[in-house]
């Protein structure tokens, strides 16, 4: 075993791609690499320009580092990063098993490391390019509503644009509506086709027994703004699930339900806790010809979701998690989108996402991680680019920035049904040593052209179609 101190002495020139904060982050990773040698590990770090004097240091450090590991009884092979087009045809052929052996010039390894830790590095992703609009809605309300167990009271400049039926509030026209109070069985609904609505949650505790606590109707445009400094709570009961309660015609299968064609933004500087006892925490619908384009955007707020039945967040069309602090415990998927899932955005710190328990962590047919600080503890795939309902689809997973620290007890670390591309960020992925699982797995090509990647675990060494365009070291025990 090589102690963490020896790692840094032998390889500081290799593992620290730049000075300052990034150097400290990279070095910190290797302080944590201690333990018995018994898994598979891929390590990859950015190349340096050949005309940079530090490049010579890098290339000299690699053999010294490898020699130190060999002396310790570890198997080592080194590749400076050979583009695929310069390699000779030992890659995976059509129809060949995706875990077939390594291609020439790629770096593979068998058997190594049990303990990994991560830190952060943010780069850009073309798919998420653009500037986040961090503006929030004007919180000066047209109408203020107060919920109690006996009803809803309204106060404000108008008595139109809404309907109250007991503890059920329906918004029928554009405006800013502030809601507060506490109710054991109530609901808020934005009527179909209503746009320009802002719901301000200002210390609201709301449970709905047989439907969603908040429903955004088809073709609606709604901003749900969690007021600064407030704590808010939304929940449902087991009756809000039409699979288990088919007689319940009001079931929406989510605490917050955003129907087909709705455009919903969940934002603000306050805290919102969602408890999904029925099925999902938040559900966003599909884009249709009749109802228009659908999307769900999450930014800024502190969002806690407990989903003991199904998914914490489930979208059908487009899901953008731009910023904020999310803590999630889910029985199934933590954050899922049938089509496009974007985490973070170009040039931003992105969200802080802590997924303490789930089956799968982040899942989308097109999964893009642009920035953020993400921790995942999963029983299946931590990141998954897939959708079993789509055929002949170009599934993609792209990591361009952020810090991702993941562990799975029974699945692949990162699993793409198409290509998997890493161009930046810091990626730490650990997969338990179980059959047919790998830390990095793709039906297409795995490309590592930037960032820092440590991928460890798996069943019997990594077999992948890997393109490495930067220096990589593969090491393991004999």
């Amino acid at each position: 075993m090589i102690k963490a101190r020896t790692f840094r002495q032998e390889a500081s020139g290799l593992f620290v791609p730049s000075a300052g904060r990034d150097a400290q982050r990279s070095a910190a990773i290797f302080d944590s690499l201690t333990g018995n040698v018994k898994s598979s590990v891929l390590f990859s770090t950015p190349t340096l320009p050949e005309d940079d004097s530090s490049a010579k240091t890098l290339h000299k450090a690699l053999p010294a580092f490898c020699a130190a590991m060999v002396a310790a009884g570890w198997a080592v092979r080194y590749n400076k990063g050979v583009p695929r087009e310069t390699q000779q045809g030992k890659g995976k052929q059509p129809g060949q098993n995706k875990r077939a052996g390594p291609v020439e010039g790629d770096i593979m390894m068998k058997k190594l490391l049990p303990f990994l830790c991560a830190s952060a590095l943010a780069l850009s992703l073309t798919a998420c390019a653009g500037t986040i609009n961090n503006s929030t809605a004007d919180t000066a309300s047209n109408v203020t509503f107060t919920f109690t167990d006996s009803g809803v009271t309204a106060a404000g400049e108008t008595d139109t644009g809404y309907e109250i039926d007991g503890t059920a509030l329906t918004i029928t026209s554009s405006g800013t509506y502030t809601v507060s109070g506490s109710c054991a069985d109530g609901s808020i609904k934005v009527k179909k086709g209503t746009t320009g609505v802002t719901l301000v949650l200002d210390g609201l505790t709301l449970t709905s027994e047989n439907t969603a606590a908040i429903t955004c109707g088809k073709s609606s445009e709604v901003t749900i703004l969690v007021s600064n400094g407030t704590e808010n709570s939304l929940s449902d009961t087991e009756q809000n699930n039409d699979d288990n309660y088919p007689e319940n015609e009001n079931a929406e299968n989510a605490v917050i339900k955003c129907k087909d064609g709705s455009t919903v933004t969940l934002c603000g500087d306050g805290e919102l806790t969602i408890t999904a006892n029925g099925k999902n925490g938040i559900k966003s619908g599909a884009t249709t010809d009749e109802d228009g384009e659908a999307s769900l955007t999450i930014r800024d707020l502190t969002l806690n979701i407990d989903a003991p039945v199904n998914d914490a967040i489930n979208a059908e069309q487009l899901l953008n998690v731009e910023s904020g602090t999310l803590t999630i415990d889910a029985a199934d998927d933590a954050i899922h989108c049938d089509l496009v899932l974007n985490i973070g955005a170009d040039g931003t710190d992105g969200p802080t996402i802590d997924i303490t328990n789930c089956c799968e962590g982040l899942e989308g047919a097109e999964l893009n991680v642009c920035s953020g600080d993400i921790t995942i503890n999963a029983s299946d795939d931590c990141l998954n680019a897939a959708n079993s309902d789509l055929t002949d689809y170009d599934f993609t997973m792209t990591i361009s920035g952020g810090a991702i620290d993941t562990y799975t007890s029974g699945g692949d670390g990162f699993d793409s049904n198409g290509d998997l591309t890493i161009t930046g960020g810091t990626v730490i992925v650990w997969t338990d040593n179980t059959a047919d699982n790998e830390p990095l797995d793709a039906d297409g090509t795995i490309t590592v052209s930037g960032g820092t990647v440590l991928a460890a675990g798996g069943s019997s060494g990594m077999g992948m179609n890997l393109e490495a365009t930067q220096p990589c070291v593969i090491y393991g025990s004999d």
Side-chain angles (χ1 to χ4, degrees):
M1 180 178 71
I2 297 179
K3 295 181 179 179
R5 180 175 57 189
T6 305
F7 261 80
R8 293 186 60 186
Q9 289 174 345
E10 294 292 339
S12 59
L14 164 65
F15 293 129
V16 183
S18 59
R21 181 177 61 179
D22 290 339
Q24 295 172 359
R25 287 171 171 170
S26 297
I29 292 173
F30 296 96
D31 281 335
S32 66
L33 295 180
T34 59
N36 297 319
V37 178
K38 60 183 180 181
S39 320
S40 302
V41 174
L42 161 67
F43 178 74
S44 178
T45 189
T47 188
L48 294 176
E50 290 295 337
D51 58 355
D52 191 330
S53 60
S54 59
K56 298 179 181 179
T57 302
L58 173 68
H59 295 159
K60 290 178 181 178
L62 277 166
F65 172 68
C66 295
M69 301 184 72
V70 170
W74 295 15
V76 178
R77 282 194 288 147
Y78 163 58
N79 178 4
K80 292 182 179 179
V82 183
R84 174 65 48 139
E85 56 268 21
T86 67
Q87 300 173 358
Q88 303 299 319
K90 290 189 180 180
K92 184 172 67 175
Q93 301 299 318
Q96 184 177 342
N97 186 287
K98 64 182 178 181
R99 291 191 177 89
V103 296
E104 181 178 350
D106 284 342
I107 40 350
M108 316 301 293
M109 80 228 133
K110 303 188 177 187
K111 307 206 166 187
L112 191 71
L113 291 177
F115 301 115
L116 302 170
C117 293
S119 44
L121 175 67
L123 295 176
S124 64
L125 174 65
T126 301
C128 299
T131 302
I132 292 178
N133 179 7
N134 286 314
S135 62
T136 55
D138 182 0
T139 57
S141 288
N142 296 330
V143 185
T144 298
F145 300 99
T146 302
F147 276 83
T148 66
D149 288 341
S150 59
V152 182
T153 59
E157 61 188 49
T158 179
D159 57 0
T160 62
Y162 63 90
E163 299 171 357
I164 296 174
D165 182 7
T167 57
L169 169 65
T170 301
I171 305 300
T172 59
S173 66
S174 61
T176 301
Y177 303 89
T178 297
V179 289
S180 62
S182 178
C183 181
D185 184 18
S187 63
I188 302 170
K189 181 176 182 179
V190 178
K191 190 175 179 180
K192 176 181 179 180
T194 306
T195 61
V197 173
T198 298
L199 288 177
V200 180
L201 308 188
D202 190 30
L204 175 68
T205 299
L206 182 63
T207 297
S208 181
E209 288 192 359
N210 67 353
T211 191
I214 297 178
T215 300
C216 302
K218 291 183 177 182
S219 308
S220 64
E221 181 187 82
V222 182
T223 297
I224 302 173
L225 191 150
V226 183
S227 185
N228 184 27
T230 66
E231 296 181 0
N232 303 266
S233 176
L234 301 175
S235 59
D236 62 2
T237 74
E238 66 277 1
Q239 296 178 45
N240 187 28
N241 184 327
D242 57 15
D243 293 330
N244 298 333
Y245 292 83
E247 71 281 1
N248 181 12
E249 297 180 353
N250 297 319
E252 294 290 2
N253 301 307
V255 178
I256 297 179
K257 177 64 176 287
C258 312
K259 294 195 172 186
D260 292 350
S262 64
T263 302
V264 178
T265 300
L266 187 58
C267 62
D269 295 321
E271 181 173 356
L272 174 60
T273 297
I274 295 174
T275 304
N277 297 307
K279 191 172 184 179
N280 301 304
I282 304 173
K283 172 67 177 179
S284 175
T287 292
T288 68
D289 291 339
E290 179 181 357
D291 302 310
E293 296 185 1
S295 69
L296 173 64
T297 299
I298 298 172
R299 69 167 70 103
D300 296 341
L301 82 164
T302 298
L303 178 61
N304 311 307
I305 303 179
D306 183 14
V309 179
N310 201 55
D311 297 346
I313 304 173
N314 182 300
E316 295 184 41
Q317 189 69 36
L318 173 62
L319 173 56
N320 300 311
V321 183
E322 295 180 343
S323 59
T325 300
L326 285 72
T327 303
I328 293 174
D329 187 327
D332 201 351
D333 294 351
I335 302 177
H336 169 99
C337 187
D338 289 350
L339 292 177
V340 181
L341 171 57
N342 296 321
I343 305 294
D346 182 26
T348 73
D349 291 335
T352 297
I353 301 175
D354 184 10
I355 300 172
T356 59
N357 182 63
C358 67
C359 180
E360 294 193 332
L362 309 179
E363 183 175 52
E366 299 177 39
L367 173 55
N368 304 305
V369 178
C370 316
S371 60
D373 190 349
I374 303 165
T375 304
I376 300 173
N377 180 31
S379 60
D380 202 339
D381 300 340
C382 297
L383 272 67
N384 192 23
N387 184 335
S388 59
D389 294 329
L390 299 178
T391 58
D392 299 324
Y393 193 86
D394 185 16
F395 297 100
T396 60
M397 181 186 300
T398 304
I399 314 297
S400 69
I404 309 174
D405 184 359
T406 65
Y407 169 78
T408 173
S409 60
D412 294 315
F414 293 5
D415 186 2
S416 175
N417 284 9
D419 291 339
L420 193 169
T421 302
I422 300 174
T423 65
T426 301
V427 173
I428 303 292
V429 53
W430 167 254
T431 304
D432 197 15
N433 297 328
T434 55
D436 200 35
N437 292 318
E438 303 295 346
L440 302 179
D441 188 12
D443 290 353
T445 299
I446 299 174
T447 301
V448 180
S449 61
T452 301
V453 181
L454 274 167
S459 52
S460 59
M462 283 188 283
M464 66 176 98
N465 187 16
L466 174 68
E467 289 188 1
T469 59
Q470 64 179 24
C472 301
V473 174
I474 303 235
Y475 46 94
S477 61
D478 292 331

